[in-house]
Amino acid sequence: SLDMSAAYTTKADNAYPIVLVTYEIACDKGNKAETLPLVKSFLGYTASEEGQSILSEAGYAPLPAEIATKVRSTVDALS
């Protein structure tokens, strides 16, 4: 599992606190074979560089690079 607690705080001077975090939750094992490709595709795109790059246009902040890398690895391992 990923520890997202560090994503809620910032040590940057004059930064606004993060007030809303969006979660996507999926089982790491035992997903339905017929829906697993769609789930992985959605989560994979959302965590991809392309998916992360358009978030600011919608008013969201992208994941920190270290977290995004962990998410991508976790999504790839879903079964």
Side-chain angles (χ1 to χ4, degrees):
S1 71
L2 298 171
D3 178 10
M4 294 296 292
S5 60
Y8 301 129
T9 59
T10 182
K11 307 242 185 301
D13 291 338
N14 299 318
Y16 287 100
I18 297 172
V19 295
L20 177 66
V21 175
T22 302
Y23 287 97
E24 300 296 339
I25 300 173
C27 295
D28 58 346
K29 295 181 178 102
N31 290 287
K32 293 181 180 179
E34 61 272 15
T35 57
L36 182 60
L38 184 60
V39 169
K40 289 179 78 168
S41 177
F42 170 74
L43 295 175
Y45 174 76
T46 305
S48 73
E49 288 185 26
E50 181 181 358
Q52 290 291 295
S53 71
I54 64 170
L55 291 176
S56 61
E57 296 170 18
Y60 292 90
L63 293 169
E66 179 182 340
I67 302 277
T69 299
K70 290 178 182 179
V71 169
R72 291 175 193 134
S73 176
T74 300
V75 169
D76 288 345
L78 295 178
S79 63

